[in-house]
Short mmCIF file of all heavy atoms in Angstrom, two decimals:
data_model
loop_
_atom_site.label_atom_id
_atom_site.label_comp_id
_atom_site.label_asym_id
_atom_site.label_seq_id
_atom_site.Cartn_x
_atom_site.Cartn_y
_atom_site.Cartn_z
N ARG A 1 82.63 143.12 112.77
CA ARG A 1 81.90 142.10 112.01
C ARG A 1 82.86 141.20 111.22
O ARG A 1 82.59 140.01 111.03
CB ARG A 1 80.91 142.78 111.07
CG ARG A 1 79.99 141.83 110.35
CD ARG A 1 79.03 142.58 109.46
NE ARG A 1 79.73 143.28 108.39
CZ ARG A 1 79.12 143.92 107.41
NH1 ARG A 1 77.80 144.00 107.40
NH2 ARG A 1 79.81 144.52 106.47
N ALA A 2 83.97 141.76 110.77
CA ALA A 2 84.91 141.00 109.94
C ALA A 2 85.54 139.83 110.70
O ALA A 2 86.02 138.87 110.08
CB ALA A 2 86.01 141.93 109.41
N PHE A 3 85.54 139.87 112.03
CA PHE A 3 86.13 138.80 112.84
C PHE A 3 85.22 137.58 112.98
O PHE A 3 85.63 136.56 113.53
CB PHE A 3 86.47 139.31 114.24
CG PHE A 3 87.76 140.07 114.33
CD1 PHE A 3 87.77 141.46 114.26
CD2 PHE A 3 88.98 139.41 114.50
CE1 PHE A 3 88.96 142.17 114.36
CE2 PHE A 3 90.17 140.11 114.58
CZ PHE A 3 90.16 141.50 114.51
N LYS A 4 83.99 137.67 112.49
CA LYS A 4 83.01 136.62 112.76
C LYS A 4 83.50 135.22 112.41
O LYS A 4 83.33 134.29 113.22
CB LYS A 4 81.71 136.94 112.00
CG LYS A 4 80.56 136.05 112.42
CD LYS A 4 79.24 136.53 111.84
CE LYS A 4 78.11 135.66 112.35
NZ LYS A 4 76.80 136.09 111.85
N PRO A 5 84.12 134.98 111.24
CA PRO A 5 84.58 133.61 110.94
C PRO A 5 85.60 133.08 111.94
O PRO A 5 85.73 131.87 112.12
CB PRO A 5 85.20 133.74 109.54
CG PRO A 5 84.59 134.96 108.95
CD PRO A 5 84.38 135.89 110.10
N MET A 6 86.35 133.99 112.57
CA MET A 6 87.38 133.55 113.52
C MET A 6 86.76 133.11 114.84
O MET A 6 87.23 132.17 115.48
CB MET A 6 88.39 134.67 113.73
CG MET A 6 89.07 135.06 112.43
SD MET A 6 90.16 136.47 112.66
CE MET A 6 90.50 136.86 110.94
N TRP A 7 85.70 133.78 115.25
CA TRP A 7 85.05 133.46 116.52
C TRP A 7 84.06 132.32 116.38
O TRP A 7 83.75 131.64 117.36
CB TRP A 7 84.31 134.68 117.07
CG TRP A 7 85.19 135.73 117.67
CD1 TRP A 7 85.41 136.98 117.19
CD2 TRP A 7 85.97 135.64 118.87
NE1 TRP A 7 86.27 137.67 118.00
CE2 TRP A 7 86.63 136.87 119.05
CE3 TRP A 7 86.17 134.63 119.81
CZ2 TRP A 7 87.47 137.13 120.12
CZ3 TRP A 7 87.01 134.87 120.89
CH2 TRP A 7 87.65 136.12 121.04
N HIS A 8 83.54 132.13 115.18
CA HIS A 8 82.41 131.20 115.01
C HIS A 8 82.71 130.05 114.04
O HIS A 8 81.88 129.69 113.22
CB HIS A 8 81.16 131.97 114.59
CG HIS A 8 80.73 132.99 115.59
ND1 HIS A 8 80.15 132.64 116.80
CD2 HIS A 8 80.83 134.34 115.60
CE1 HIS A 8 79.90 133.76 117.49
NE2 HIS A 8 80.31 134.79 116.79
N GLY A 9 83.93 129.52 114.14
CA GLY A 9 84.25 128.29 113.44
C GLY A 9 84.24 128.33 111.93
O GLY A 9 83.81 127.36 111.29
N GLY A 10 84.70 129.44 111.37
CA GLY A 10 84.78 129.52 109.91
C GLY A 10 85.83 128.56 109.37
O GLY A 10 86.73 128.11 110.09
N SER A 11 85.71 128.21 108.10
CA SER A 11 86.71 127.35 107.46
C SER A 11 88.04 128.08 107.37
O SER A 11 88.12 129.30 107.57
CB SER A 11 86.24 126.97 106.05
OG SER A 11 86.25 128.12 105.22
N GLU A 12 89.09 127.33 107.04
CA GLU A 12 90.41 127.95 106.91
C GLU A 12 90.39 129.05 105.86
O GLU A 12 90.97 130.13 106.06
CB GLU A 12 91.44 126.87 106.55
CG GLU A 12 92.87 127.33 106.77
CD GLU A 12 93.88 126.20 106.60
OE1 GLU A 12 93.59 125.06 107.00
OE2 GLU A 12 94.96 126.48 106.04
N ALA A 13 89.71 128.81 104.75
CA ALA A 13 89.63 129.81 103.68
C ALA A 13 88.86 131.04 104.14
O ALA A 13 89.26 132.19 103.85
CB ALA A 13 88.96 129.21 102.44
N GLU A 14 87.78 130.83 104.90
CA GLU A 14 86.99 131.96 105.40
C GLU A 14 87.80 132.79 106.40
O GLU A 14 87.75 134.03 106.38
CB GLU A 14 85.71 131.46 106.06
CG GLU A 14 84.68 130.93 105.07
CD GLU A 14 83.54 130.19 105.76
OE1 GLU A 14 83.75 129.62 106.86
OE2 GLU A 14 82.44 130.19 105.18
N ARG A 15 88.55 132.09 107.22
CA ARG A 15 89.38 132.80 108.20
C ARG A 15 90.49 133.59 107.51
O ARG A 15 90.82 134.71 107.94
CB ARG A 15 89.98 131.80 109.20
CG ARG A 15 88.92 131.22 110.15
CD ARG A 15 89.38 129.94 110.81
NE ARG A 15 90.50 130.13 111.70
CZ ARG A 15 90.41 130.28 113.02
NH1 ARG A 15 89.22 130.25 113.60
NH2 ARG A 15 91.47 130.44 113.76
N ALA A 16 91.07 133.02 106.46
CA ALA A 16 92.12 133.72 105.72
C ALA A 16 91.56 134.98 105.05
O ALA A 16 92.20 136.05 105.07
CB ALA A 16 92.73 132.79 104.67
N ARG A 17 90.37 134.86 104.47
CA ARG A 17 89.74 136.04 103.85
C ARG A 17 89.41 137.08 104.90
O ARG A 17 89.59 138.29 104.68
CB ARG A 17 88.46 135.63 103.11
CG ARG A 17 88.69 135.04 101.74
CD ARG A 17 87.42 134.99 100.90
NE ARG A 17 86.36 134.21 101.52
CZ ARG A 17 86.22 132.89 101.39
NH1 ARG A 17 87.09 132.21 100.64
NH2 ARG A 17 85.24 132.25 101.99
N ALA A 18 88.94 136.62 106.07
CA ALA A 18 88.61 137.54 107.15
C ALA A 18 89.86 138.29 107.62
O ALA A 18 89.82 139.50 107.85
CB ALA A 18 87.97 136.79 108.31
N ALA A 19 90.96 137.56 107.76
CA ALA A 19 92.21 138.19 108.20
C ALA A 19 92.66 139.26 107.20
O ALA A 19 93.10 140.35 107.60
CB ALA A 19 93.30 137.13 108.36
N GLU A 20 92.52 138.97 105.92
CA GLU A 20 92.89 139.93 104.89
C GLU A 20 92.00 141.18 104.98
O GLU A 20 92.48 142.31 104.87
CB GLU A 20 92.72 139.28 103.51
CG GLU A 20 93.38 140.03 102.38
CD GLU A 20 93.27 139.26 101.07
OE1 GLU A 20 93.54 138.03 101.07
OE2 GLU A 20 92.92 139.89 100.07
N THR A 21 90.72 140.95 105.22
CA THR A 21 89.78 142.07 105.36
C THR A 21 90.14 142.93 106.57
O THR A 21 90.19 144.17 106.48
CB THR A 21 88.33 141.55 105.51
OG1 THR A 21 87.99 140.82 104.34
CG2 THR A 21 87.35 142.69 105.72
N VAL A 22 90.41 142.28 107.71
CA VAL A 22 90.76 143.01 108.93
C VAL A 22 92.02 143.84 108.71
O VAL A 22 92.07 145.02 109.06
CB VAL A 22 90.94 142.04 110.12
CG1 VAL A 22 91.59 142.75 111.31
CG2 VAL A 22 89.60 141.44 110.52
N THR A 23 93.04 143.25 108.11
CA THR A 23 94.28 143.99 107.85
C THR A 23 94.01 145.20 106.97
O THR A 23 94.52 146.30 107.23
CB THR A 23 95.33 143.08 107.19
OG1 THR A 23 95.60 141.97 108.06
CG2 THR A 23 96.63 143.82 106.92
N GLY A 24 93.19 145.03 105.95
CA GLY A 24 92.86 146.14 105.06
C GLY A 24 92.12 147.26 105.78
O GLY A 24 92.41 148.44 105.58
N LEU A 25 91.17 146.89 106.63
CA LEU A 25 90.40 147.89 107.37
C LEU A 25 91.29 148.64 108.37
O LEU A 25 91.18 149.86 108.53
CB LEU A 25 89.24 147.23 108.11
CG LEU A 25 88.14 146.63 107.21
CD1 LEU A 25 87.19 145.76 108.04
CD2 LEU A 25 87.36 147.73 106.50
N LEU A 26 92.18 147.92 109.03
CA LEU A 26 93.10 148.56 109.97
C LEU A 26 94.08 149.48 109.25
O LEU A 26 94.44 150.55 109.77
CB LEU A 26 93.86 147.50 110.77
CG LEU A 26 93.04 146.74 111.81
CD1 LEU A 26 93.84 145.58 112.38
CD2 LEU A 26 92.58 147.67 112.94
N THR A 27 94.48 149.10 108.05
CA THR A 27 95.37 149.96 107.26
C THR A 27 94.65 151.25 106.89
O THR A 27 95.22 152.35 106.99
CB THR A 27 95.84 149.22 106.00
OG1 THR A 27 96.57 148.05 106.40
CG2 THR A 27 96.74 150.10 105.14
N LEU A 28 93.40 151.11 106.49
CA LEU A 28 92.58 152.29 106.17
C LEU A 28 92.50 153.23 107.37
O LEU A 28 92.70 154.45 107.24
CB LEU A 28 91.19 151.82 105.75
CG LEU A 28 90.21 152.85 105.22
CD1 LEU A 28 90.71 153.47 103.92
CD2 LEU A 28 88.84 152.22 105.00
N MET A 29 92.24 152.67 108.54
CA MET A 29 92.15 153.51 109.75
C MET A 29 93.49 154.12 110.11
O MET A 29 93.56 155.28 110.52
CB MET A 29 91.63 152.68 110.93
CG MET A 29 90.17 152.29 110.83
SD MET A 29 89.51 151.68 112.41
CE MET A 29 89.11 153.26 113.20
N SER A 30 94.57 153.36 109.96
CA SER A 30 95.88 153.88 110.34
C SER A 30 96.29 155.05 109.44
O SER A 30 96.97 155.98 109.89
CB SER A 30 96.94 152.78 110.33
OG SER A 30 97.25 152.38 109.02
N ASN A 31 95.85 155.01 108.20
CA ASN A 31 96.16 156.10 107.27
C ASN A 31 95.46 157.40 107.63
O ASN A 31 95.85 158.47 107.16
CB ASN A 31 95.79 155.70 105.83
CG ASN A 31 96.69 154.62 105.28
OD1 ASN A 31 97.80 154.42 105.76
ND2 ASN A 31 96.22 153.91 104.26
N GLU A 32 94.41 157.30 108.46
CA GLU A 32 93.64 158.49 108.83
C GLU A 32 93.92 158.95 110.26
O GLU A 32 93.30 159.90 110.74
CB GLU A 32 92.15 158.21 108.65
CG GLU A 32 91.78 157.94 107.20
CD GLU A 32 90.30 157.64 107.00
OE1 GLU A 32 89.57 157.56 108.00
OE2 GLU A 32 89.91 157.47 105.83
N MET A 33 94.85 158.29 110.95
CA MET A 33 95.17 158.67 112.32
C MET A 33 95.74 160.08 112.37
O MET A 33 96.51 160.48 111.51
CB MET A 33 96.17 157.67 112.94
CG MET A 33 95.54 156.33 113.26
SD MET A 33 96.77 155.09 113.79
CE MET A 33 97.29 155.77 115.37
N LYS A 34 95.35 160.82 113.42
CA LYS A 34 95.79 162.22 113.58
C LYS A 34 96.94 162.35 114.56
O LYS A 34 97.31 163.46 114.94
CB LYS A 34 94.61 163.08 114.06
CG LYS A 34 93.37 163.03 113.17
CD LYS A 34 93.61 163.68 111.82
CE LYS A 34 92.34 163.86 111.01
NZ LYS A 34 91.86 162.60 110.42
N GLY A 35 97.50 161.24 114.99
CA GLY A 35 98.57 161.26 115.98
C GLY A 35 98.80 159.86 116.49
O GLY A 35 98.46 158.89 115.81
N PRO A 36 99.33 159.71 117.70
CA PRO A 36 99.55 158.37 118.25
C PRO A 36 98.24 157.61 118.49
O PRO A 36 98.23 156.39 118.54
CB PRO A 36 100.30 158.62 119.55
CG PRO A 36 100.08 160.05 119.88
CD PRO A 36 99.84 160.76 118.59
N PHE A 37 97.14 158.37 118.66
CA PHE A 37 95.81 157.78 118.77
C PHE A 37 94.98 158.25 117.58
O PHE A 37 95.44 159.07 116.78
CB PHE A 37 95.16 158.15 120.10
CG PHE A 37 95.91 157.62 121.30
CD1 PHE A 37 96.72 158.46 122.05
CD2 PHE A 37 95.83 156.28 121.65
CE1 PHE A 37 97.43 157.97 123.14
CE2 PHE A 37 96.54 155.78 122.74
CZ PHE A 37 97.34 156.62 123.48
N LEU A 38 93.77 157.75 117.45
CA LEU A 38 92.97 158.05 116.27
C LEU A 38 92.80 159.53 116.02
O LEU A 38 92.87 159.99 114.87
CB LEU A 38 91.58 157.39 116.39
CG LEU A 38 91.53 155.87 116.23
CD1 LEU A 38 90.11 155.37 116.50
CD2 LEU A 38 91.98 155.46 114.83
N PHE A 39 92.57 160.30 117.10
CA PHE A 39 92.25 161.72 116.92
C PHE A 39 93.33 162.66 117.45
O PHE A 39 93.09 163.85 117.58
CB PHE A 39 90.90 162.03 117.59
CG PHE A 39 89.75 161.32 116.95
CD1 PHE A 39 89.19 160.20 117.54
CD2 PHE A 39 89.23 161.74 115.73
CE1 PHE A 39 88.13 159.52 116.96
CE2 PHE A 39 88.17 161.07 115.13
CZ PHE A 39 87.62 159.96 115.74
#
């Protein structure tokens, strides 16, 4: 869902906020990885 502004013509500011959100969510997931893959 966080990618929506990038696919659907969000403003530059909306895209920048979306990118920050995506990076944060991916960081959260990477911190919980159990190996080279998620589990």
Side-chain angles (χ1 to χ4, degrees):
R1 187 179 65 174
F3 279 96
K4 191 171 183 178
M6 300 175 192
W7 285 112
H8 299 288
S11 68
E12 196 172 323
E14 288 169 332
R15 289 161 66 97
R17 279 195 301 274
E20 194 175 314
T21 299
V22 168
T23 301
L25 293 169
L26 289 171
T27 300
L28 187 64
M29 290 194 83
S30 71
N31 290 340
E32 297 179 356
M33 287 173 68
K34 304 292 190 285
F37 297 102
L38 287 175
F39 296 103

